[in-house]
């Protein structure tokens, strides 16, 4: 039996996805502001894709987690811009760059879900996700954290 994922709807309220994943309302963020659109994009994780938390300097998430191995999926959907080059940013997890110069429009077009997946080990009790904006502000639509194995205290 697998361990239950922890999911956060960045910038939005709680909901259950069509895949049966319970997304908690936005929490554990550092800085940034919320934004949403009324229509749900026709994309995976549609409800999460219509909300976002965006920000410039000192924007990210500090999520308390027990020590262990995790798969972290960061969900992105560009719901504001429609042309490439308008929003470009880096994604850092635990102080390491996991994606450099993400331009969602260039990767998948407007209002489509783009997922960055990273497996990592948490020793500190906190998952740190930080964004570094290069053009405009960074943003995120959702976070899914799946425990792979937990280390007992």
């Amino acid at each position: 039996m697998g361990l239950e994922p922890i999911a956060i709807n960045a910038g939005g309220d709680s909901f259950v996805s069509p895949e049966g994943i319970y997304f908690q309302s936005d929490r554990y963020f550092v800085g940034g502001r919320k934004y949403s659109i009324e229509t749900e994009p026709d994309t995976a994780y549609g409800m999460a894709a219509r909300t976002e938390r965006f920000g410039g300097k000192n924007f990210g998430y500090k999520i308390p987690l027990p020590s262990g191995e995790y798969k972290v999926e960061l969900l992105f959907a560009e719901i504001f811009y429609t042309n490439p080059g308008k929003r470009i940013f880096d994604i850092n997890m635990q102080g390491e760059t996991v994606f450099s110069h993400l331009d969602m429009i260039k990767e998948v077009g407007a209002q489509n879900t783009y997922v960055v997946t990273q497996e990592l080990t948490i020793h500190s009790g906190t998952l740190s996700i930080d964004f570094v904006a290069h053009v405009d502000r960074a943003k995120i639509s959702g976070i899914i954290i799946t425990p792979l194995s937990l280390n007992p205290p």
Side-chain angles (χ1 to χ4, degrees), residues 98-112:
V98 298
F99 200 105
S100 180
H101 291 81
L102 175 60
D103 180 341
M104 288 166 287
I105 300 290
K106 185 177 174 185
E107 296 291 335
V108 295
Q111 297 192 7
N112 291 309

Side-chain angles (χ1 to χ4, degrees), residues 9-13 26 33-36 51-53 61 140-141:
N9 183 20
D13 296 326
D26 197 14
R33 298 189 323 211
K34 300 188 311 186
Y35 177 75
S36 65
T51 65
E52 67 181 39
R53 178 161 290 279
Y61 282 79
I140 186 165
S141 295

